Amino acid sequence: MFIEKQKYEIHDLIEIMRTLRADDGCPWDKEQSHATIRMNVLEEAYEVAEAIDSGSPELLKEELGDLLLQIIFHSQISAESGGFRFEEVCDVICRKLIYRHPHIFASLDVSGTDEVLRNWEALKSKSKGEQSAADSLENVPKTLPALMRGEKVGKRAANLGFDFENTAQVIARLREEIDELEEAYNRRESFTSDESPESVKSLEFADLTKINDEIEEEFGDILFTCCNLSRFLQKVPEKALTSAINKFIMRFRAVEALASRTGQTIAELPQSTLDELWEKAKER
């Protein structure tokens, strides 16, 4: 029988999870595996980020607890099959922090934050057994959101000496990539147009597939270039895109409100009217 307490601590959380996973525990909790709750970790991490953005300490405290639960959950699943326990998770991170902070826990002298970060990356690379510069890029987790992964890959390449010289160069590259996308798009349009010449119409279906693949490739180049540009602008691409999306939703809501005054929905209005309402929403 679990005893109710005025204040619980980490060992209580571990024991609660053991109870939930026991033979007479919760049916849902007992059924879970590392794979089935994999996405839960990501969802809880994003909710922590949203709590940080909200500025609410109470919400952040709650969401950090939810994220900690996922760590305890995975640790318990592992321990049940004779694998690592939560205590070993703590041991690993403690050892990692000590190893990567030789300027605190050893005798290394550093000049400031920049040198601390360089040492961190060097020690990280060594501990992961990276043999080449490409290994460093390859080891950026593939499960990261693509913008975040692009930012990290670009930054690691820059730390290895492979980078643009200035912001103007990145902007110029972005224009080049947009031009290349437009060229690929125009080729597809000429291929699919009813007025296209017979020589174009005679192209095999595989050629159209190749053009579509090229469009996707060029569009990807644009997005990756934007990731590099964000680094030069000292902006976080995920945050910038999130802000843009939120702004769009806010203006869309304003357009909807303006449309409702006419007794119509957005779907019932012509595009020209929607454009006018959009400009009004922007002015607001």
Side-chain angles (χ1 to χ4, degrees):
M1 189 71 179
F2 206 79
I3 302 175
E4 186 173 349
K5 299 173 65 174
Q6 186 173 1
K7 179 176 286 188
Y8 297 98
E9 298 179 354
I10 186 66
H11 62 272
D12 295 309
L13 179 57
I14 296 172
E15 186 57 36
I16 288 171
M17 180 51 63
R18 285 174 182 161
T19 302
L20 292 174
R21 292 274 299 178
D23 291 339
D24 57 349
C26 171
W28 183 87
D29 288 282
K30 291 191 297 181
E31 293 174 357
Q32 304 314 306
S33 66
H34 290 304
T36 61
I37 61 172
R38 171 181 175 274
M39 290 302 299
N40 297 38
V41 179
L42 299 176
E43 291 170 6
E44 297 299 351
Y46 280 119
E47 289 183 10
V48 168
E50 190 166 347
I52 292 172
D53 292 341
S54 75
S56 169
E58 286 301 313
L59 182 58
L60 178 58
K61 178 174 66 176
E62 178 183 350
E63 297 301 344
L64 285 172
D66 290 344
L67 182 58
L68 177 59
L69 170 61
Q70 297 304 313
I71 298 170
I72 298 295
F73 208 152
H74 281 282
S75 299
Q76 179 60 28
I77 291 173
S78 172
E80 291 167 1
S81 60
F84 63 82
R85 297 173 294 111
F86 176 70
E87 292 80 3
E88 293 172 82
V89 174
C90 295
D91 177 69
V92 168
I93 187 58
C94 286
R95 293 179 184 278
K96 183 184 293 185
L97 287 172
I98 293 170
Y99 173 70
R100 294 188 185 175
H101 289 82
H103 54 290
I104 300 297
F105 301 106
S107 57
L108 181 68
D109 292 326
V110 294
S111 59
T113 300
D114 289 343
E115 190 172 357
V116 168
L117 293 176
R118 285 196 297 271
N119 287 338
W120 176 279
E121 290 299 329
L123 291 169
K124 183 177 181 180
S125 176
K126 182 179 179 181
S127 66
K128 290 182 176 294
E130 294 173 354
Q131 300 296 318
S132 68
D135 287 344
S136 175
L137 309 187
E138 189 72 32
N139 282 337
V140 176
K142 296 177 179 60
T143 52
L144 283 177
L147 283 179
M148 188 181 299
R149 185 180 178 219
E151 180 190 19
K152 288 184 174 294
V153 168
K155 184 177 181 180
R156 290 195 181 184
N159 290 338
L160 294 166
F162 191 84
D163 200 8
F164 296 92
E165 293 182 5
N166 50 53
T167 306
Q169 280 191 352
V170 192
I171 293 175
R173 175 61 61 81
L174 180 59
R175 289 196 179 99
E176 291 175 10
E177 300 295 356
I178 293 174
D179 288 342
E180 291 175 4
L181 173 63
E182 187 175 16
E183 290 174 8
Y185 169 76
N186 288 336
R187 284 201 301 276
R188 185 178 70 179
E189 288 301 291
S190 65
F191 178 81
T192 57
S193 172
D194 292 336
E195 300 178 357
S196 59
E198 291 301 321
S199 59
V200 175
K201 289 183 178 180
S202 65
L203 289 173
E204 298 292 337
F205 177 76
D207 294 317
L208 179 58
T209 302
K210 182 178 179 181
I211 293 173
N212 281 323
D213 290 343
E214 185 179 348
I215 288 174
E216 181 175 326
E217 179 181 345
E218 298 298 349
F219 183 57
D221 289 343
I222 290 173
L223 293 177
F224 184 56
T225 303
C226 286
C227 290
N228 283 312
L229 180 58
S230 71
R231 182 162 44 81
F232 278 83
L233 296 175
Q234 297 182 339
K235 299 297 178 182
V236 180
E238 287 283 341
K239 183 178 180 181
L241 180 56
T242 297
S243 296
I245 293 170
N246 291 340
K247 180 173 64 176
F248 175 82
I249 294 172
M250 179 180 65
R251 289 179 178 172
F252 186 90
R253 188 178 298 278
V255 169
E256 188 175 36
L258 291 170
S260 67
R261 295 180 183 178
T262 68
Q264 295 176 289
T265 66
I266 287 179
E268 295 170 332
L269 292 172
Q271 187 60 50
S272 58
T273 302
L274 291 176
D275 289 341
E276 292 175 5
L277 296 181
W278 181 263
E279 291 303 320
K280 290 183 180 179
K282 286 176 63 176
E283 290 173 3
R284 290 187 174 186

